[in-house]
Each structure stands twice: as C-alpha cells, then as structure tokens.
Amino acid sequence: MAAKRPNPALWLYYQYGGRLPEKHRDWVLHDGTCRTWLVRVFARGLVVVAPIAAVLFMILLLLGHSWPLAAGSVVLGLLVNIRYTLSYSVESVDGRLARHGFPAGHGSAVRRRAYELAHADEAARYRAAYRAGED
C-alpha cells in the first residue's frame, strides 16, 4: 500500500510539529527515512521560520531601517536557523517519528539499514582488500 500523502493544510500543520492522523503514518515514516530526508528537514526549517522572517523584515522597514540592513538581518537569522535545524536534524526526525508511534531511534535505524544495503558491495570489497588477514 502506498503512503497516503497529507493535504496541504495537514502538511502545514505537520511542518509546525502537529501529529497527523493514523492513515498518514506510512507517509511520516517515508518523510523521515527517504533518500531526501535531510532536504525535507531543511525545507521544514525554512517553512517554519518564513512567516517570522517576513514580519521581521517588514518591521525593520517600518522602523526606518534601509532595506539592505533589514535584508541582511533577516538573512543572518535564517542562516542561524538553518545551522540549528541541520545540526539537530537526526534528533528532530527521530522525535517526530516517535510522536507518530514509532520506537525511539527508528528513523536512524531505517536510514542506517538502507545505507548498509546500498553500500554492501563496497563494504565487501573493502573487507576483501584490507581485512583479509585478520580472520
């Protein structure tokens, strides 16, 4: 069965930390463990902070600051947000999956298993070349 994608309103609710209904459970797992999971975390960080950044930009302009100063301030804030979002991406996704009923660390385990399966040939060649005499 294919993962049921949430509608745009539910997706936005999910981006802000909401818990999706049970019928979207497979999609939540896909969201946290697919090949592009880190890009999704990056986009989530930008979606969450975009309204705040827009309001701050407008406030700075209304207070009489020049637009380059306002834009620079907002961009620096976005850079800090991106750094924080990506630094804690693994914990964030594992926590999000736990809120949807998956065991703690499940997302990391699924991604690790997928990586090991995708790179099994490389690991076998490495062991054959460099670990042959250690048995």
Side-chain angles (χ1 to χ4, degrees):
M1 180 177 162
K4 179 151 176 54
R5 189 176 180 79
N7 64 41
L10 275 178
W11 179 83
L12 198 58
Y13 174 68
Y14 171 74
Q15 299 311 311
Y16 281 92
R19 191 175 187 284
L20 293 177
E22 187 67 25
K23 66 182 178 180
H24 299 293
R25 191 169 190 261
D26 290 339
W27 182 84
V28 171
L29 180 62
H30 170 75
D31 182 56
T33 59
C34 68
R35 186 176 50 88
T36 58
W37 74 276
L38 197 55
V39 174
R40 292 169 181 251
V41 170
F42 175 77
R44 182 177 301 122
L46 291 180
V47 165
V48 169
V49 80
I52 298 167
V55 168
L56 284 174
F57 182 73
M58 295 307 296
I59 288 173
L60 288 171
L61 288 179
L62 291 173
L63 290 175
H65 297 287
S66 66
W67 74 266
L69 178 64
S73 300
V74 169
V75 166
L76 287 175
L78 288 173
L79 289 174
V80 170
N81 176 60
I82 290 168
R83 166 81 188 255
Y84 182 80
T85 299
L86 293 179
S87 294
Y88 295 100
S89 58
V90 172
E91 293 84 359
S92 170
V93 169
D94 283 344
R96 188 174 294 268
L97 289 173
R99 277 195 309 273
H100 284 83
F102 293 97
H106 185 68
S108 296
V110 169
R111 287 189 304 272
R112 188 177 320 109
R113 199 171 321 118
Y115 179 85
E116 288 170 357
L117 287 174
H119 295 88
D121 291 341
E122 290 177 24
R125 283 194 309 268
Y126 175 83
R127 281 191 301 277
Y130 297 107
R131 304 287 182 190
E134 293 184 9
D135 291 332

